Amino acid sequence: MTDRYVLDLQEVDARRVAVVGGKGAHLGGLSRIEGVRVPDGFCVTTDAFRRAMAEVPSLDDRLDELSRLDPEDREAIRTLSARMRRIIEEVAVPGDVTAAVTRALGRFGEQGAYAVRSSATAEDLPTASFAGQQDTYLNVLGPTAVLQHISRCWASMFTERAVVYRQRNGIDHRTVDMAVVVQRMVFPDASGILFTADPVTGNRKVATVDAGFGLGEALVSGLVNPDVFTVRDGEVVARTIAAKERAVHALPVGGTREVALDVRQRERPALTDEQAVRLVGLGRRIEAHFGCPQDIEWCLVDDGFRIVQSRPITTLFPLPVLADGDSENHIYVSVGHQQMMTDAMKPLGYSMWQLTAMVPMLEAGGRLFVDVTRRLASPASRDGLLDVLGKGDPLVRDALETVLGQGGFVPSIPDAAPDGPPPTGAPAPIETDPAVVTELIERSRTSIAALERDIRAKEGPALFDFLLEAFEEHKRVLGDPLSMQAIMAGMDATWWLNDKLGQWLGEKNAADTLTLSAPDNITSEMGLALLDVADVIRPLPEVLAFLRDAEHLDDATFLDELAKTAGGGEARDAIEAYLDRYGMRCVGEIDITRPRWRERPTTLVPVILDNVRNFGPGAAERRFEQGRRKALQKEQDVLSRLRTLPDGDRKADETRRMIDRVRTFIGYREYPKYGIVSRYLVYKQALLAEAVRLVRENVLPEKEDAFYLTFQELHEAVRSNRVDEQLIQRRKEAFRSYRALTPPRVLTSDGEALTGAYRRDDVPAGALTGLPVSAGTVEGRARVVLDMAEADLEAGDILVTVFTDPSWSPLFVGIAGLVTEVGGLMTHGAVIAREYGLPAVVGVDRATRLIRDGQRIRVHGTDGYVELLP
């Protein structure tokens, strides 16, 4: 029977989420799967919720008040949400809703026992589980009690945890409605939770079953430890049987209570192996129906399973999509961990990187991965790949070796030819000649100037055809053999110096000092150049006052308004000159959709003000000269000590040649990335012009909506003047969910996510282990910074963050040390830390969570660990 306020479960499915909420829609879908039994029941619709809320005249005012609260102000949220719940619970259920519920109860047994469960419209969805955010009531007896608990479910829209969850996930309270599921109560022998993928490792081929006696509330509430069965390929491969001292049972008068289990029952498994395997079979059927791994609540009654809930496991990292019919094993390595940008990328961003990258890349969870399976399968390329990746990030190597050690996952293919260029293609050596770097930089500038000139006349579909040709030039410049030779020359010389001086003199990471103030490092020059901007602004009091009044700064008018202040013209010219050279940079710059400094110049204001406060005039030149002298002194010291050794003259001569080589080429390591992002700004400006036209012709609501289309989809939109708005909305929701995920360094096609581990025993107890990338030891105040724009640093502070790309370089001039969660020996943060002589440890797992903002720490940049001080 169809009713505006009540729908039977068999009448609903995923298309009715807006009417019956996520839980109700899933239960309706479950009831349609052959062989899956769902307790009978009905949904009280969101129409009923809105009808009841119309009886609460003060609700709109409370919602306005709630939306203005800071998500971190838990006390204010707790107080206001409790008041809102009381108001809702005290309002009588409207008569027409009461009549509809009473009729439905009559169909299923008016005096029966029921479970009454909330079902929000933003609950149990692929992008937001909302698990545990609202309420469930068990063993509710009679119409009066059912109606009372429906009101409580409505009120649970405003539990403190639900309110905070919505606010932190950017969900407007007014966009979420509450339905309620009312089902016949099941009184099980055993119950629990089934994960159709391993919730810890992410492996999609492994299912885990948690089981206990009685109602599942005992497990959900943590009252007892469950039995755990691990099932793979139709077989229990591991089991842990817990001592289950208590269970939750239903009471004859309604409600539930805890009971002590008989001693003989406590050690008995809640399920047999055969039942666990049968349950996983049902889970696989449910997973196939919904199209993604599921978190399933089940009950066992007389050896038959009842499914009482199923929701997507939203914490699993998504997998790259395989070609149809591809059932082989694959191993993927994260691109973001190499590029120092592990944030989720929007579709235009990752598709542009795919089109301009030198090797094929696959998208998953808004991140990019490279399939290294064939290289690992071939002994000819395996060792080289592990060596290169291990030098960059030991955790990647460890993760890959973990997979290789599992046996059988990666078949050995001796004759396999790796896809793409070899990872360790040792380029032919080049002469140690600074003119090589000069020539490479000039080649890049000439190519970018041609791009800027030629793209001006392109628009519409012709622009996209032009860009596809430009991407080939992009890759040609990036893959220039001479450029690769120069990069490898600097890296090889660095490794040679560290290895040989470690052997001969016992020096650790000697190259860190020998590379200070190396020439031609575009990224370190960028940080020092902002000190020069500060020198212009420091003696201008009205400009400083203007910049400190951050609330009035608007990117669109910032530079024009600045010029109106006394001395503002000079300040504007200095900032404009800086933006002309570095305005293409930004945090997360490999994602073309990220706002560039040229687009948001106010991003630089806090750093400029920090430079004014923390440094005196001429600091840039002094710092560079200090670094150069320190490197020269180190060179003289090393060479004189070497000459005292046996065969010392030969060792000193070799070392001197390598020092010359590293100082000639190591600075160029940063230039290719500068060239890439310079091109990206040109591409972006042209694509945004097309997006603006689509907005003008009412094809797109906003120009930034184009970011949620891939390059190919945007091309088609420009050609056809049509856009799938629902696709854009789905992409926005997916991106929001991806931002909450932490990408693994290594991912397998089974879904196993691996982050790797350090195999070291030389780190003090309680210290955080990482990779030493810039020598020295420093102690200071940790400043945990997740957004460069919100950095508030003072001289002597130690920057602790997830990752740093070149855009963070201006912050490096004012800090004393660096700790990051992501990074390797030759990644940008490490290179610039060495340039500025900052002790640095990277690859420190969960550093931003384990180190408190303001805590004193000691960074051991030579030995690769961080001490947390009292």
Side-chain angles (χ1 to χ4, degrees):
M1 174 184 174
T2 301
D3 185 290
R4 178 185 173 192
Y5 296 133
V6 168
L7 292 172
D8 285 356
L9 284 178
Q10 287 75 17
E11 296 180 88
V12 302
D13 57 22
R15 293 169 296 183
R16 308 298 295 274
V17 169
V19 178
V20 298
K23 187 182 283 122
H26 268 75
L27 286 167
L30 283 167
S31 68
R32 288 172 164 75
I33 304 173
E34 185 177 353
V36 174
R37 299 174 67 183
V38 176
D40 290 336
F42 58 91
C43 298
V44 182
T45 67
T46 53
D47 278 341
F49 172 72
R50 287 189 292 270
R51 170 77 176 83
M53 294 308 100
E55 303 293 321
V56 187
S58 62
L59 190 61
D60 274 350
D61 292 341
R62 299 289 80 77
L63 283 169
D64 288 340
E65 189 178 346
L66 195 62
S67 66
R68 291 193 294 268
L69 294 179
D70 185 331
E72 302 307 317
D73 190 349
R74 299 297 290 270
E75 184 58 38
I77 290 174
R78 184 178 302 117
T79 301
L80 181 55
S81 58
R83 190 186 318 152
M84 294 174 75
R85 290 196 305 277
R86 283 196 304 272
I87 291 170
I88 293 169
E89 288 180 13
E90 289 170 1
V91 171
V93 177
D96 43 1
V97 175
T98 296
V101 170
T102 303
R103 284 195 300 270
L105 290 172
R107 294 196 302 276
F108 293 105
E110 190 172 283
Q111 297 306 315
Y114 289 88
V116 182
R117 314 166 74 194
S118 65
S119 180
T121 54
E123 184 177 7
D124 294 350
L125 305 180
T127 56
S129 80
F130 273 66
Q133 298 306 310
Q134 281 92 34
D135 290 343
T136 289
Y137 301 95
L138 300 179
N139 199 28
V140 179
L141 305 179
T144 301
V146 168
L147 288 164
Q148 180 185 37
H149 286 86
I150 288 172
S151 286
R152 290 181 178 175
C153 284
W154 288 338
S156 73
M157 263 281 289
F158 300 103
T159 62
E160 179 188 349
R161 60 186 182 273
V163 168
V164 170
Y165 188 96
R166 288 194 294 272
Q167 289 184 313
R168 287 181 174 170
N169 284 275
I171 300 171
D172 186 342
H173 301 296
R174 296 177 188 275
T175 65
V176 182
D177 289 324
M178 179 68 79
V180 180
V181 176
V182 180
Q183 286 177 282
R184 288 300 302 259
M185 186 68 190
V186 173
F187 302 100
D189 304 313
S191 58
I193 301 168
L194 161 64
F195 297 97
T196 63
D198 188 314
V200 177
T201 69
N203 195 317
R204 268 64 162 182
K205 292 187 177 179
V206 173
T208 62
V209 178
D210 290 0
F213 293 115
L215 293 167
E217 297 306 294
L219 300 186
V220 174
S221 65
L223 180 65
V224 298
N225 292 323
D227 296 339
V228 181
F229 299 83
T230 303
V231 179
R232 179 167 187 152
D233 298 328
E235 179 183 357
V236 174
V237 295
R239 73 181 63 74
T240 302
I241 306 305
K244 302 170 286 294
E245 296 187 0
R246 305 186 71 77
V248 174
H249 286 172
L251 293 171
V253 295
T256 62
R257 72 171 180 184
E258 298 174 17
V259 297
L261 289 176
D262 182 272
V263 174
R264 291 168 298 180
Q265 191 179 14
R266 292 176 184 176
E267 304 289 344
R268 184 164 62 82
L271 292 179
T272 65
D273 283 6
E274 183 275 331
Q275 288 170 330
V277 169
R278 182 152 47 93
L279 176 61
V280 170
L282 285 175
R284 294 291 178 217
R285 201 174 298 175
I286 294 168
E287 178 183 70
H289 176 84
F290 289 117
C292 62
Q294 297 287 300
D295 165 359
I296 298 167
E297 294 181 22
W298 56 269
C299 296
L300 179 66
V301 183
D302 299 329
D303 200 39
F305 287 104
R306 307 289 192 278
I307 305 301
V308 296
Q309 188 164 328
S310 184
R311 63 169 72 91
I313 307 176
T314 58
T315 56
L316 296 179
F317 199 84
L319 298 179
V321 176
L322 295 174
D324 289 342
D326 185 347
S327 59
E328 295 183 3
N329 293 337
H330 293 269
I331 302 175
Y332 310 102
V333 170
S334 164
V335 172
H337 285 81
Q338 313 301 312
Q339 290 294 333
M340 297 298 93
M341 214 296 275
T342 55
D343 290 349
M345 299 169 71
K346 293 172 185 171
L348 186 61
Y350 65 67
S351 65
M352 289 285 284
W353 194 260
Q354 287 172 311
L355 287 166
T356 54
M358 300 299 291
V359 296
M361 294 181 179
L362 302 165
E363 182 271 336
R367 279 80 169 188
L368 291 171
F369 294 84
V370 173
D371 188 339
V372 296
T373 316
R374 290 178 62 82
R375 288 176 182 161
L376 290 175
S378 169
S381 58
R382 181 188 306 141
D383 291 343
L385 177 68
L386 291 173
D387 183 55
V388 167
L389 292 177
K391 282 180 176 176
D393 186 341
L395 294 178
V396 171
R397 175 171 188 149
D398 183 79
L400 289 173
E401 288 178 335
T402 299
V403 179
L404 290 169
Q406 292 174 354
F409 190 85
V410 181
S412 181
I413 311 173
D415 298 325
D419 299 325
T424 56
I430 55 176
E431 293 297 318
T432 303
D433 182 359
V436 171
V437 174
T438 303
E439 179 185 348
L440 286 168
I441 291 173
E442 186 55 35
R443 286 185 191 180
S444 177
R445 286 175 177 167
T446 300
S447 179
I448 292 169
L451 171 66
E452 292 172 332
R453 180 190 66 239
D454 295 344
I455 204 171
R456 292 189 189 116
K458 308 299 182 184
E459 61 181 20
L463 168 67
F464 290 82
D465 294 336
F466 170 82
L467 284 174
L468 289 172
E469 294 177 7
F471 296 162
E472 295 307 309
E473 168 67 4
H474 179 126
K475 289 190 279 189
R476 187 195 66 75
V477 173
L478 197 58
D480 184 336
L482 185 62
S483 178
M484 298 300 293
Q485 287 173 310
I487 291 170
M488 289 308 300
M491 293 171 67
D492 286 341
T494 299
W495 293 328
W496 189 96
L497 287 167
N498 283 338
D499 289 345
K500 294 299 184 182
L501 296 181
Q503 292 174 26
W504 295 338
L505 298 177
E507 287 266 358
K508 285 186 178 181
N509 304 322
D512 293 359
T513 305
L514 293 167
T515 54
L516 289 172
S517 297
D520 299 311
N521 189 314
I522 190 73
T523 306
S524 63
E525 290 169 6
M526 179 173 68
L528 296 176
L530 206 58
L531 287 173
D532 292 335
V533 174
D535 284 353
V536 173
I537 290 172
R538 187 178 289 105
L540 304 173
E542 289 197 26
V543 169
L544 286 170
F546 176 86
L547 296 179
R548 285 170 181 147
D549 188 7
E551 290 185 5
H552 78 273
L553 300 181
D554 177 79
D555 286 298
T557 60
F558 166 57
L559 292 172
D560 290 337
E561 292 298 317
L562 173 63
K564 296 176 183 177
T565 63
E570 186 182 358
R572 180 189 61 185
D573 290 347
I575 294 174
E576 281 280 15
Y578 186 86
L579 292 173
D580 287 344
R581 186 153 172 78
Y582 305 110
M584 75 293 292
R585 311 223 80 147
C586 66
V587 174
E589 61 193 9
I590 71 169
D591 182 353
I592 198 172
T593 71
R594 292 288 190 100
R596 312 281 135 176
W597 290 345
R598 167 57 73 185
E599 297 167 316
R600 287 193 186 168
T602 59
T603 303
L604 296 171
V605 169
V607 190
I608 293 172
L609 291 174
D610 283 348
N611 287 347
V612 168
R613 184 176 72 246
N614 295 329
F615 297 95
E621 185 177 350
R622 281 198 308 276
R623 285 180 66 98
F624 187 83
E625 183 59 21
Q626 287 167 359
R628 193 188 67 79
R629 287 181 180 175
K630 196 171 180 181
L632 181 60
Q633 290 168 358
K634 184 68 173 179
E635 177 180 357
Q636 293 169 345
D637 172 64
V638 163
L639 295 179
S640 65
R641 289 164 61 196
L642 285 172
R643 290 192 178 100
T644 67
L645 301 177
D647 199 18
D649 287 342
R650 178 189 63 80
K651 291 174 179 174
D653 287 344
E654 283 188 37
T655 300
R656 180 182 51 76
R657 286 196 297 273
M658 282 298 177
I659 292 173
D660 288 345
R661 195 163 179 79
V662 80
R663 290 192 66 79
T664 297
F665 293 115
I666 199 64
Y668 177 72
R669 167 72 177 79
E670 292 292 294
Y671 202 88
K673 184 75 170 286
Y674 176 78
I676 291 171
V677 296
S678 296
R679 291 175 180 277
Y680 264 33
L681 180 58
V682 180
Y683 302 153
K684 181 178 185 179
Q685 289 171 334
L687 291 172
L688 276 179
E690 294 300 314
V692 168
R693 183 187 64 77
L694 291 174
V695 171
R696 195 165 54 240
E697 298 184 11
N698 297 317
V699 177
L700 282 177
E702 298 179 359
K703 65 180 181 181
E704 288 80 8
D705 285 346
F707 296 159
Y708 295 94
L709 300 173
T710 65
F711 177 86
Q712 298 86 344
E713 291 164 347
L714 182 56
H715 186 180
E716 177 59 22
V718 168
R719 188 197 64 77
S720 66
N721 242 29
R722 287 199 304 271
V723 166
D724 183 346
E725 292 187 14
Q726 289 188 337
L727 172 66
I728 290 176
Q729 189 57 40
R730 289 196 301 272
R731 292 273 178 78
K732 287 181 177 180
E733 292 171 0
F735 177 71
R736 187 179 69 204
S737 70
Y738 293 158
R739 291 175 67 184
L741 298 177
T742 300
R745 284 174 165 82
V746 171
L747 185 66
T748 75
S749 51
D750 281 358
E752 190 168 3
L754 300 103
T755 57
Y758 293 104
R759 313 293 175 176
R760 294 175 55 185
D761 56 9
D762 60 341
V763 175
L768 307 180
T769 307
L771 178 66
V773 296
S774 185
T777 301
V778 66
E779 180 179 320
R781 180 180 67 161
R783 296 314 308 258
V784 179
V785 179
L786 301 180
D787 182 348
M788 176 183 159
E790 296 177 1
D792 181 15
L793 299 166
E794 295 181 2
D797 283 347
I798 297 170
L799 174 62
V800 180
T801 190
V802 178
F803 61 81
T804 61
D805 59 13
S807 70
W808 290 70
S809 178
L811 293 183
F812 283 28
V813 299
I815 60 175
L818 173 70
V819 178
T820 69
E821 295 182 357
V822 177
L825 188 62
M826 284 298 173
T827 49
H828 302 281
V831 171
I832 304 307
R834 290 193 291 272
E835 273 287 306
Y836 290 161
L838 303 175
V841 180
V842 302
V844 180
D845 187 38
R846 296 177 297 141
T848 59
R849 283 166 279 182
L850 297 175
I851 299 172
R852 299 190 315 275
D853 184 49
Q855 181 177 15
R856 290 196 68 78
I857 61 174
R858 186 178 297 123
V859 177
H860 294 263
T862 305
D863 296 313
Y865 63 89
V866 180
E867 288 184 277
L868 309 180
L869 304 177

